Amino acid sequence: MTKIFVIYTGGTIGMITEPATGVLKPFNFEQIIEHVPELRRMDYELTVHSFNPIIDSSDMTPEIWAFLAKLIEDNYEEHDGFLILHGSDTMAFTASALSFMLDGLSKPVIFTGSQLPISEVRTDAKENFITALEIASAKLEDGRARVPEVCIYFENKLYRANRTFKYNSAKFEAFRSPNYPVLVEAGVHIKYNDAAILKHDRAKLRVHTSVSNNIGVLKLYPGISPEIVDAVLNSDAEAIIMESFGTGNTSTAPWFLDRLRKAIENGKIILDISQCKAGSVEMGRYATSSELKTMGVINGYDMTFEAAVTKLMYLLGRKYPKDRLLRRLSTPIRGEFTKI
Ligand code: ASP
């Protein structure tokens, strides 16, 4: 029998509308299972860990990411796969963070949730839950897991976690991964895109739970003032994610470039990702980004904001010497970006 470890953290999937107020409130895992009688007909042995209290994912923290990673480590050997029920709002952050924290993963860790509570007639929760379980238990002919990576399953599609972002709060199709192909598509048949799925890592699982939140974000817009740029660049943050335009371009105004240069000289790490949801940073393609390359801004290629945040937190938490950190930041370590 396939053994799946289920972690129920909360989110809409397990909420019920309180009749008096109309507010969505969480209920417990046993009540979830009652709404999925199909589970009794499936050949899985489920071990369940339910958060107490269960939380809306807006209350997620790096400490809880570490707790999840540790829970997976403690139950790793005895289980074939892991399913994490999580609110969709910050699912892409938690799932991206775990993709970095779980080093040498060889079993599936699949996040899912839903847009409508499992108790509602038109819920998307049941299909998400059941198909995610099925994918978490899928094996290759040699008995190893078919999807040995951290993923998000939502509305018929399995995505690499660290390539996703929540793009829609109203549609059942809540997530997108424009820069990386869908790993599995579920219709009448469950179709695996094996070529896109990470290959098995020969290393053993090593879990790194210390992360640092000492990062900042500089989102650019035409007209941004020197005061706002200073507020971010002169903060204590060790690393700053700069959300730039198009293929990684910024203003060429001397006051702006001088400030960036100075921040880097003072030891700040500046990672350039684009405000575009699809496509990649191409430093040096336009004059507006060639100067960035020269001064030592790091190319974030086609990384999502979620992956950039969690990768930096993870790398800073590893306490690498600066040159090693910069090398790891510039190299895909869990398939989180594609170099062009
Ligand atoms: N607010 C909910 C959460 O993220 C939304 C959801 O589950 O989809 O916990």
Side-chain angles (χ1 to χ4, degrees):
M1 229 194 202
T2 310
K3 291 183 175 175
I4 307 290
F5 194 82
V6 180
I7 307 172
Y8 173 41
T9 68
T12 301
I13 190 165
M15 294 199 179
I16 198 156
T17 315
E18 203 178 55
T21 58
V23 170
L24 282 172
K25 287 269 176 71
F27 59 33
N28 66 31
F29 191 78
E30 284 67 42
Q31 290 166 293
I32 292 194
I33 294 285
E34 272 170 34
H35 285 92
V36 199
E38 293 85 351
L39 283 176
R40 293 199 195 94
R41 288 195 277 138
M42 298 172 92
D43 218 10
Y44 300 123
E45 191 180 316
L46 303 186
T47 312
V48 178
H49 178 100
S50 183
F51 274 30
N52 186 14
I54 35 198
I55 60 168
D56 187 291
S57 75
S58 299
D59 281 325
M60 270 290 157
T61 59
E63 289 73 29
I64 308 178
W65 301 342
F67 173 78
L68 288 171
K70 193 81 185 59
L71 201 54
I72 291 170
E73 182 178 35
D74 292 345
N75 293 281
Y76 195 68
E77 289 311 324
E78 314 82 71
H79 293 88
D80 298 287
F82 297 81
L83 187 66
I84 304 183
L85 304 176
H86 191 291
S88 62
D89 289 350
T90 68
M91 187 186 286
F93 286 94
T94 307
S96 296
L98 285 201
S99 78
F100 297 114
M101 294 162 102
L102 303 174
D103 192 359
L105 187 68
S106 60
K107 297 185 180 181
V109 174
I110 303 185
F111 281 75
T112 195
S114 66
Q115 294 282 58
L116 279 179
I118 206 156
S119 54
E120 292 204 7
V121 178
R122 289 182 51 249
T123 187
D124 51 331
K126 270 166 75 162
E127 197 284 325
N128 284 349
F129 188 20
I130 290 173
T131 308
L133 269 178
E134 193 146 343
I135 296 170
S137 65
K139 296 273 166 64
L140 294 166
E141 272 172 17
D142 62 9
R144 291 182 305 167
R146 191 150 185 188
V147 186
E149 56 173 304
V150 184
C151 307
I152 288 183
Y153 181 79
F154 232 87
E155 186 64 357
N156 304 323
K157 293 190 177 92
L158 185 82
Y159 308 97
R160 173 167 302 157
N162 58 34
R163 294 299 197 132
T164 62
F165 61 92
K166 184 172 180 182
Y167 113 101
N168 202 311
S169 59
K171 285 191 177 181
F172 286 150
E173 190 199 358
F175 291 90
R176 286 264 165 108
S177 157
N179 287 328
Y180 198 74
V182 167
L183 304 182
V184 178
E185 190 143 11
V188 172
H189 302 286
I190 298 185
K191 288 198 174 142
Y192 290 83
N193 182 359
D194 289 310
I197 296 171
L198 280 181
K199 301 291 164 265
H200 273 267
D201 195 327
R202 275 198 210 92
K204 263 182 72 106
L205 179 73
R206 275 172 305 147
V207 176
H208 308 284
T209 54
S210 96
V211 294
S212 162
N213 65 357
N214 200 10
I215 62 168
V217 178
L218 178 62
K219 183 161 185 155
L220 302 182
Y221 48 90
I224 193 168
S225 68
E227 292 72 29
I228 295 294
V229 172
D230 281 340
V232 181
L233 294 182
N234 297 337
S235 70
D236 288 340
E238 277 177 81
I240 287 158
I241 297 168
M242 181 171 71
E243 281 200 84
S244 59
F245 309 120
T247 52
N249 306 315
T250 67
S251 158
T252 50
W255 69 263
F256 177 75
L257 294 178
D258 285 348
R259 280 170 166 80
L260 280 186
R261 198 175 297 109
K262 204 149 172 226
I264 293 170
E265 279 164 15
N266 289 339
K268 288 257 189 290
I269 296 165
I270 301 194
L271 177 66
D272 185 6
I273 63 168
S274 175
Q275 292 175 23
C276 293
K277 292 297 191 183
S280 182
V281 167
E282 290 181 62
M283 268 189 193
R285 181 175 162 89
Y286 293 91
T288 42
S289 66
S290 61
E291 182 58 24
L292 303 178
K293 199 172 171 180
T294 316
M295 69 173 82
V297 170
I298 307 292
N299 191 339
Y301 294 94
D302 58 356
M303 242 195 302
T304 60
F305 176 67
E306 289 79 349
V309 166
T310 54
K311 185 176 182 182
L312 272 174
M313 285 184 164
Y314 163 76
L315 291 177
L316 292 173
R318 294 291 306 265
K319 305 250 178 299
Y320 290 126
K322 180 102 178 266
D323 56 340
R324 174 120 196 256
L325 189 154
L326 293 182
R327 256 184 284 125
R328 302 276 285 159
L329 189 57
S330 306
T331 314
I333 56 173
R334 308 278 190 270
E336 72 278 12
F337 67 84
T338 306
K339 274 194 168 179
I340 49 168

